[in-house]
C-alpha cells in the first residue's frame, strides 16, 4: 500500500505575511482619533452657523 502524504511543519508559516502589529494599531488609533476630531469640529461649526 503506497500512500502519498505531504506533511508540512505548521511552524513554517509559509503563507503568513510579515506584519507590523504595533504600527497597525497606532495608525488605526490615531487615524480614528483624527477623523473623530474633524467630525467634532465640523459639528461645532455647523451648530454655530445654524444659530
Amino acid at each position: 500500500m503506497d500512500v502519498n502524504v505531504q506533511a508540512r511543519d505548521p511552524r513554517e508559516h509559509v503563507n503568513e505575511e510579515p506584519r507590523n502589529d504595533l504600527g497597525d494599531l497606532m495608525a488605526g488609533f490615531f487615524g480614528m482619533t483624527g477623523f473623530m476630531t474633524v467630525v467634532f469640529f465640523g459639528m461645532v461649526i455647523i451648530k454655530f452657523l445654524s444659530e
Side-chain angles (χ1 to χ4, degrees), residues 3 5 8-9 12 14 16-17 24 27 29 31-33 36 38 41 46:
V3 178
V5 176
R8 290 187 173 224
D9 189 353
E12 288 179 4
V14 290
E16 187 172 332
E17 300 175 359
D24 291 341
F29 181 80
M32 193 64 182
T33 302
M36 285 299 167
V38 169
F41 284 112
I46 289 172

Side-chain angles (χ1 to χ4, degrees), residues 10-40:
R11 293 171 291 185
E12 288 179 4
H13 300 290
V14 290
N15 292 325
E16 187 172 332
E17 300 175 359
R19 297 190 186 275
N20 184 1
D21 291 334
L22 181 60
D24 291 341
L25 178 71
M26 287 173 34
F29 181 80
F30 290 118
M32 193 64 182
T33 302
F35 174 71
M36 285 299 167
T37 302
V38 169
V39 169
F40 171 75

Side-chain angles (χ1 to χ4, degrees), residues 41-51:
F41 284 112
M43 289 298 182
V44 169
I45 290 169
I46 289 172
K47 179 182 182 295
F48 281 118
L49 289 177
S50 68
E51 288 182 353

